[in-house]
Amino acid sequence: MSLAEYSERNGLRRVGARPSLPEYLAEAWRRRDFAIAMARYKIEASNERNRLGMLWIFIKPTLNALMYGAIFGILQGANRPENFPMFVVIGVFLFEFFSTSMTSGAKSITGNGSLVQSLAFPRITLPLSTV
């Protein structure tokens, strides 16, 4: 009997081997509490630096929407669509959400290098917790 056959018969896997996609997603689902807790701690830590705290998450896009609405409202003059303020607010909020999600999600794995090296968990939980 070879070493590979022995390890397969006893359910041993190679250290650092990638699981199949269904196994990986199942493991990520089992670790969802970890992702939720990480997201809560990140939000609390980032908002401790701001005096406005959680309110800043809504104030920033609202101020951006007012600024874009004023600028494009002046530039368009009488050619504005009927629901112009609604389009501006929805567009700015969606743009803020997606741009922040993409940049912070991309930086989440490299920014948590020590966590990635010290613990075994599905790495997809880091970008998910950031988003």
Side-chain angles (χ1 to χ4, degrees):
M1 175 186 316
S2 72
L3 191 56
E5 291 170 349
Y6 178 78
S7 62
E8 184 178 329
R9 188 171 54 137
N10 291 306
L12 300 174
R13 288 192 301 180
R14 191 176 56 115
V15 174
R18 289 188 177 166
S20 67
L21 183 61
E23 290 174 3
Y24 185 75
L25 293 176
E27 179 66 22
W29 180 254
R30 284 192 295 272
R31 306 276 181 128
R32 67 186 179 273
D33 293 335
F34 172 69
I36 291 169
M38 214 167 135
R40 284 185 183 152
Y41 292 132
K42 280 184 182 180
I43 277 192
E44 288 174 5
S46 67
N47 286 331
E48 281 181 3
R49 289 178 268 165
N50 296 330
R51 291 180 187 231
L52 295 175
M54 289 293 288
L55 196 58
W56 183 248
I57 292 174
F58 296 104
I59 291 175
K60 182 182 175 201
T62 304
L63 291 174
N64 284 342
L66 288 172
M67 185 61 71
Y68 286 128
I71 291 171
F72 289 114
I74 291 170
L75 290 176
Q76 288 183 338
N79 296 330
R80 284 181 293 198
E82 183 178 325
N83 297 325
F84 178 73
M86 183 175 62
F87 288 132
V88 171
V89 169
I90 291 172
V92 168
F93 271 84
L94 286 175
F95 176 76
E96 288 278 333
F97 172 73
F98 284 116
S99 66
T100 304
S101 296
M102 294 302 253
T103 55
S104 59
K107 293 178 184 177
S108 66
I109 294 177
T110 57
N112 292 310
S114 59
L115 183 66
V116 168
Q117 291 175 351
S118 63
L119 296 174
F121 63 96
R123 305 303 189 249
I124 196 170
T125 57
L126 292 173
L128 288 177
S129 68
T130 302
V131 172

